[in-house]
Amino acid sequence: MTIEAVMSISPTSEAIEALAAEIGDKIYIDVAKWHLRLDDAHLHSVLADRLYPMLAENALNEDQVVQILQNIPVKLGGGRREIPLSDLLPMQCQMQLMDILEEFQRQM
């Protein structure tokens, strides 16, 4: 099912799931040149949950997206360290995330 179809017929939780699926499939963290997609890292849903309200209000703002990324801790080494998600996303992924969000907001 396309994002457009989901957006036209579904309640908020399904829209968030569609956004999470899109993010999880295309955005990854980079650790030592090893790419881990956000759905495999189980970070796509939490990111979509935090970003969706901005999209629902038609208030997409890159600075706020970066702030959200900075406020999502990623545990490393069995939880011995936490690093903000923003520090693990390559710049190209941050730009692609903005593209995904812009397109998603347009389709709402």
Side-chain angles (χ1 to χ4, degrees), residues 73-76 79-84:
V74 178
K75 293 182 181 189
L76 301 175
R80 291 174 44 196
R81 289 195 187 257
E82 286 187 359
I83 295 179

Side-chain angles (χ1 to χ4, degrees), residues 42-87:
H42 304 286
L43 294 168
H44 63 302
S45 295
V46 68
L47 185 55
D49 284 339
R50 294 190 187 180
L51 292 170
Y52 185 80
M54 189 184 331
L55 301 178
E57 295 172 6
N58 199 26
L60 182 60
N61 177 298
E62 187 172 1
D63 291 337
Q64 288 180 341
V65 171
V66 170
Q67 186 65 40
I68 288 169
L69 292 171
Q70 289 173 346
N71 289 327
I72 296 177
V74 178
K75 293 182 181 189
L76 301 175
R80 291 174 44 196
R81 289 195 187 257
E82 286 187 359
I83 295 179
L85 181 55
S86 60
D87 289 356

Side-chain angles (χ1 to χ4, degrees), residues 15-25 39 44-49 104:
I16 293 171
E17 288 176 21
L19 177 59
E22 187 77 10
I23 289 169
D25 185 52
D39 56 351
H44 63 302
S45 295
V46 68
L47 185 55
D49 284 339
F104 203 87

Side-chain angles (χ1 to χ4, degrees), residues 6-27:
V6 170
M7 296 304 297
S8 66
I9 61 170
S10 54
T12 302
S13 63
E14 288 182 27
I16 293 171
E17 288 176 21
L19 177 59
E22 187 77 10
I23 289 169
D25 185 52
K26 295 192 171 112
I27 306 301

